[in-house]
Amino acid sequence: MKHLSKFIPQFAGIALLAASPMLFAQDSANRLSNPDSTFAMKAAQANMAEIQMGQLASQNGSSADVKSFGQKMVTDHTKANDELKSIASKKSVTLPTGVSAKDQAAYDKVSKLTGAEFDKEFMAEMVNGHKEAVSLFQKEATSGTDPDLKSYASSTLPTIQQHLEMAQSDEMKLKK
């Protein structure tokens, strides 16, 4: 019995050493490469910006197209952001909780406008923002290293491309 108590700490140490590669593998599997992490951060901020601008448009838009487009932004980007949050949670990644300074400045600018001026500037911002988002998501879909984020980018990209086409069409209508 006396000899057995000497071996217990040794067995515990051996067991810990044996388990450590599995623990390390699990931890490293949840880490993101810098480009993947950057994508996740930018995608979260872009989603939040589209939601914020969409809410503004659904309230302040003067045309039915702008109001409808704004509501679509809220619905689609809320869904996309929820999916991204789920992936980030599994990977122990903390996403930003607010929009970028650039997006906030655009929101502040558009929020001061009314009527046709609001509609035109809102749609111009939607075109620009969705061009950037398409580029961001295309890059992750083709070059990303994290399989979950790559899949997310690939599955979300068609919706963002559709938003860009709709925004461009609505913008052209407003210019007439």
Side-chain angles (χ1 to χ4, degrees), residues 46-61 66-67 69-71 73-74 99 102-111 118 121-127 129-130:
N47 282 326
M48 288 184 284
E50 300 299 343
I51 293 165
Q52 185 182 47
M53 288 287 274
Q55 289 168 335
L56 183 65
S58 61
Q59 295 167 357
N60 296 0
V66 169
K67 285 181 177 279
F69 188 85
Q71 189 54 53
M73 294 304 93
V74 172
V99 300
K102 178 182 157 200
D103 289 331
Q104 187 60 51
Y107 177 87
D108 292 343
K109 176 180 160 187
V110 172
S111 69
F118 173 90
E121 190 61 34
F122 168 76
M123 292 315 302
E125 288 295 335
M126 290 295 100
V127 168
H130 282 88

Coordinates of all heavy atoms in Angstrom, one line a residue, residues 46-61 66-67 69-71 73-74 99 102-111 118 121-127 129-130:
A46 N -19.6 44.5 -40.9 CA -20.4 44.8 -42.1 C -21.8 44.4 -41.9 O -22.7 45.1 -42.3 CB -19.8 44.0 -43.3
N47 N -22.0 43.2 -41.3 CA -23.4 42.8 -41.0 C -24.1 43.8 -40.1 O -25.3 44.1 -40.4 CB -23.4 41.4 -40.4 CG -23.2 40.3 -41.4 OD1 -23.7 40.3 -42.5 ND2 -22.6 39.2 -41.0
M48 N -23.5 44.2 -39.1 CA -24.1 45.1 -38.1 C -24.4 46.5 -38.8 O -25.4 47.1 -38.6 CB -23.2 45.3 -36.9 CG -23.2 44.1 -36.0 SD -22.2 44.4 -34.5 CE -20.6 44.2 -35.1
A49 N -23.5 46.9 -39.7 CA -23.7 48.2 -40.4 C -24.9 48.1 -41.3 O -25.7 49.0 -41.4 CB -22.4 48.5 -41.2
E50 N -25.0 46.9 -42.0 CA -26.2 46.7 -42.9 C -27.5 46.7 -42.1 O -28.5 47.2 -42.6 CB -26.0 45.5 -43.8 CG -24.8 45.5 -44.7 CD -24.8 46.6 -45.7 OE1 -25.8 47.2 -46.0 OE2 -23.7 46.8 -46.2
I51 N -27.5 46.1 -40.9 CA -28.6 46.0 -40.1 C -29.0 47.4 -39.6 O -30.2 47.8 -39.7 CB -28.4 45.1 -38.9 CG1 -28.2 43.6 -39.3 CG2 -29.5 45.2 -37.8 CD1 -27.6 42.7 -38.3
Q52 N -28.0 48.2 -39.2 CA -28.3 49.5 -38.7 C -28.8 50.4 -39.8 O -29.8 51.1 -39.6 CB -26.9 50.1 -38.1 CG -27.0 51.4 -37.5 CD -25.6 51.9 -37.0 OE1 -24.7 51.9 -37.8 NE2 -25.6 52.4 -35.8
M53 N -28.2 50.3 -41.0 CA -28.6 51.2 -42.1 C -30.0 50.7 -42.6 O -30.9 51.5 -42.9 CB -27.6 51.1 -43.2 CG -26.3 51.8 -43.0 SD -26.5 53.6 -43.0 CE -26.3 53.9 -44.8
G54 N -30.2 49.4 -42.5 CA -31.5 48.9 -43.0 C -32.7 49.3 -42.1 O -33.8 49.7 -42.5
Q55 N -32.4 49.4 -40.8 CA -33.4 49.9 -39.8 C -33.7 51.3 -40.1 O -34.9 51.7 -40.1 CB -32.9 49.7 -38.4 CG -32.9 48.2 -37.9 CD -32.2 48.0 -36.6 OE1 -31.3 48.8 -36.2 NE2 -32.5 46.9 -35.9
L56 N -32.7 52.1 -40.4 CA -32.9 53.5 -40.7 C -33.7 53.7 -42.0 O -34.6 54.5 -42.0 CB -31.5 54.2 -40.8 CG -31.5 55.7 -41.1 CD1 -32.1 56.4 -39.9 CD2 -30.1 56.2 -41.4
A57 N -33.4 52.9 -43.0 CA -34.1 53.0 -44.3 C -35.6 52.6 -44.1 O -36.5 53.2 -44.7 CB -33.4 52.2 -45.3
S58 N -35.8 51.5 -43.4 CA -37.2 51.1 -43.2 C -38.0 52.1 -42.5 O -39.3 52.2 -42.7 CB -37.3 49.7 -42.6 OG -36.8 49.7 -41.3
Q59 N -37.4 53.0 -41.7 CA -38.1 54.0 -41.0 C -38.1 55.3 -41.8 O -39.2 56.0 -41.8 CB -37.5 54.3 -39.6 CG -37.5 53.1 -38.6 CD -36.6 53.3 -37.4 OE1 -35.9 54.3 -37.4 NE2 -36.6 52.4 -36.5
N60 N -37.0 55.7 -42.4 CA -36.9 57.0 -43.0 C -37.0 57.1 -44.5 O -36.9 58.2 -45.1 CB -35.5 57.7 -42.6 CG -35.4 57.9 -41.1 OD1 -36.4 57.6 -40.3 ND2 -34.3 58.4 -40.6
G61 N -37.0 55.9 -45.1 CA -37.0 55.9 -46.6 C -38.3 56.6 -47.1 O -39.4 56.4 -46.5
V66 N -36.9 51.6 -51.2 CA -35.9 51.9 -50.2 C -36.3 51.2 -48.9 O -35.5 50.6 -48.2 CB -35.6 53.4 -50.0 CG1 -34.7 53.6 -48.8 CG2 -34.9 53.9 -51.3
K67 N -37.6 51.4 -48.5 CA -38.1 50.8 -47.3 C -38.0 49.3 -47.3 O -37.6 48.7 -46.4 CB -39.5 51.3 -47.0 CG -39.7 52.7 -46.5 CD -41.1 53.0 -46.3 CE -41.3 54.4 -45.7 NZ -41.1 54.5 -44.3
F69 N -36.0 47.5 -49.3 CA -34.6 47.1 -49.3 C -34.0 47.1 -47.9 O -33.3 46.2 -47.5 CB -33.8 47.9 -50.3 CG -32.4 47.5 -50.5 CD1 -32.1 46.5 -51.4 CD2 -31.4 48.0 -49.7 CE1 -30.8 46.1 -51.6 CE2 -30.1 47.5 -49.9 CZ -29.8 46.6 -50.8
G70 N -34.4 48.2 -47.2 CA -33.9 48.3 -45.8 C -34.4 47.2 -44.9 O -33.6 46.6 -44.1
Q71 N -35.6 46.8 -45.1 CA -36.1 45.6 -44.3 C -35.4 44.3 -44.6 O -35.1 43.5 -43.8 CB -37.6 45.5 -44.4 CG -38.2 44.5 -43.5 CD -37.9 44.7 -42.0 OE1 -38.1 45.8 -41.5 NE2 -37.3 43.7 -41.3
M73 N -32.4 44.1 -45.7 CA -31.0 44.2 -45.1 C -31.1 43.7 -43.6 O -30.2 43.0 -43.1 CB -30.5 45.6 -45.1 CG -30.1 46.1 -46.5 SD -29.0 45.1 -47.4 CE -30.2 44.1 -48.3
V74 N -32.1 44.2 -42.9 CA -32.2 43.8 -41.5 C -32.4 42.3 -41.4 O -31.7 41.6 -40.6 CB -33.4 44.5 -40.8 CG1 -33.7 44.0 -39.4 CG2 -33.2 46.0 -40.8
V99 N -20.2 48.8 -35.1 CA -19.8 49.0 -36.5 C -18.5 49.7 -36.5 O -18.0 50.3 -35.5 CB -20.9 49.8 -37.3 CG1 -22.2 49.0 -37.3 CG2 -21.1 51.2 -36.8
K102 N -15.8 54.0 -40.0 CA -16.2 54.3 -41.4 C -17.7 54.1 -41.6 O -18.4 55.0 -42.1 CB -15.4 53.5 -42.4 CG -15.7 53.8 -43.8 CD -14.9 52.8 -44.7 CE -15.6 52.7 -46.0 NZ -15.2 51.5 -46.8
D103 N -18.2 53.0 -41.2 CA -19.6 52.7 -41.3 C -20.5 53.6 -40.4 O -21.6 54.0 -40.8 CB -19.9 51.2 -41.0 CG -19.4 50.3 -42.0 OD1 -19.3 50.7 -43.2 OD2 -19.1 49.1 -41.7
Q104 N -20.0 53.9 -39.2 CA -20.7 54.9 -38.4 C -20.8 56.2 -39.0 O -21.8 56.9 -38.9 CB -20.0 54.9 -37.0 CG -20.8 55.7 -36.0 CD -22.2 55.2 -35.7 OE1 -22.4 54.0 -35.4 NE2 -23.3 56.0 -35.8
A105 N -19.7 56.7 -39.6 CA -19.7 58.0 -40.3 C -20.7 58.0 -41.4 O -21.4 59.0 -41.6 CB -18.3 58.3 -40.8
A106 N -20.8 56.9 -42.2 CA -21.8 56.8 -43.3 C -23.2 56.9 -42.7 O -24.1 57.6 -43.2 CB -21.5 55.5 -44.1
Y107 N -23.4 56.1 -41.6 CA -24.7 56.1 -41.0 C -25.1 57.6 -40.5 O -26.2 58.0 -40.7 CB -24.7 55.2 -39.8 CG -26.0 55.2 -39.0 CD1 -27.1 54.4 -39.4 CD2 -26.2 56.0 -37.9 CE1 -28.3 54.4 -38.7 CE2 -27.4 56.0 -37.2 CZ -28.5 55.2 -37.6 OH -29.6 55.2 -36.9
D108 N -24.2 58.2 -39.9 CA -24.4 59.6 -39.3 C -24.8 60.5 -40.5 O -25.7 61.4 -40.4 CB -23.2 60.1 -38.6 CG -23.0 59.3 -37.3 OD1 -23.9 58.6 -36.8 OD2 -21.8 59.4 -36.7
K109 N -24.0 60.4 -41.6 CA -24.3 61.2 -42.8 C -25.7 61.0 -43.3 O -26.4 62.0 -43.6 CB -23.2 61.0 -43.8 CG -23.4 61.7 -45.1 CD -22.2 61.3 -46.1 CE -22.5 61.6 -47.5 NZ -21.5 61.0 -48.4
V110 N -26.0 59.7 -43.5 CA -27.3 59.4 -44.1 C -28.5 59.7 -43.2 O -29.6 60.2 -43.6 CB -27.4 57.9 -44.6 CG1 -28.7 57.5 -45.0 CG2 -26.3 57.6 -45.6
S111 N -28.3 59.6 -41.9 CA -29.4 59.8 -40.9 C -29.8 61.2 -40.9 O -30.9 61.5 -40.4 CB -28.9 59.3 -39.5 OG -27.9 60.1 -39.0
F118 N -32.3 61.4 -48.9 CA -32.0 60.2 -48.1 C -32.0 58.9 -48.9 O -31.0 58.2 -48.8 CB -33.1 60.0 -47.0 CG -33.0 58.7 -46.2 CD1 -32.2 58.7 -45.1 CD2 -33.6 57.6 -46.6 CE1 -32.0 57.5 -44.4 CE2 -33.4 56.4 -46.0 CZ -32.6 56.3 -44.8
E121 N -28.8 58.7 -51.2 CA -27.5 58.5 -50.4 C -27.5 57.2 -49.8 O -26.5 56.5 -49.8 CB -27.4 59.6 -49.4 CG -26.0 59.6 -48.7 CD -24.9 59.9 -49.7 OE1 -25.0 60.6 -50.7 OE2 -23.8 59.3 -49.5
F122 N -28.7 56.7 -49.3 CA -28.8 55.4 -48.7 C -28.4 54.3 -49.8 O -27.6 53.4 -49.5 CB -30.2 55.1 -48.2 CG -30.4 53.7 -47.8 CD1 -29.9 53.1 -46.6 CD2 -31.1 52.8 -48.6 CE1 -30.1 51.8 -46.3 CE2 -31.3 51.5 -48.3 CZ -30.8 51.0 -47.2
M123 N -29.0 54.4 -51.0 CA -28.7 53.4 -52.0 C -27.3 53.5 -52.4 O -26.7 52.4 -52.7 CB -29.7 53.5 -53.1 CG -31.1 53.2 -52.8 SD -31.4 51.6 -51.9 CE -30.6 50.4 -52.9
A124 N -26.7 54.7 -52.5 CA -25.3 54.8 -52.9 C -24.4 54.1 -51.8 O -23.4 53.4 -52.2 CB -24.9 56.3 -53.0
E125 N -24.7 54.3 -50.6 CA -24.0 53.6 -49.5 C -24.2 52.1 -49.6 O -23.2 51.3 -49.3 CB -24.4 54.1 -48.1 CG -24.0 55.5 -47.8 CD -22.5 55.6 -47.7 OE1 -21.8 54.6 -47.4 OE2 -22.0 56.7 -47.9
M126 N -25.4 51.6 -50.0 CA -25.6 50.2 -50.1 C -24.8 49.6 -51.2 O -24.3 48.5 -51.1 CB -27.1 49.9 -50.3 CG -28.0 50.2 -49.1 SD -27.6 49.1 -47.7 CE -26.6 50.1 -46.7
V127 N -24.7 50.3 -52.3 CA -23.9 49.8 -53.5 C -22.5 49.7 -53.0 O -21.8 48.7 -53.2 CB -24.1 50.7 -54.7 CG1 -23.0 50.4 -55.8 CG2 -25.5 50.6 -55.3
G129 N -21.1 49.6 -50.0 CA -20.9 48.6 -48.9 C -21.0 47.2 -49.4 O -20.2 46.3 -49.0
H130 N -21.9 46.9 -50.3 CA -22.0 45.6 -50.9 C -20.9 45.2 -51.8 O -20.5 44.1 -51.9 CB -23.4 45.3 -51.4 CG -24.4 45.1 -50.4 ND1 -25.1 46.2 -49.8 CD2 -24.8 44.0 -49.7 CE1 -25.9 45.7 -48.8 NE2 -25.8 44.3 -48.8

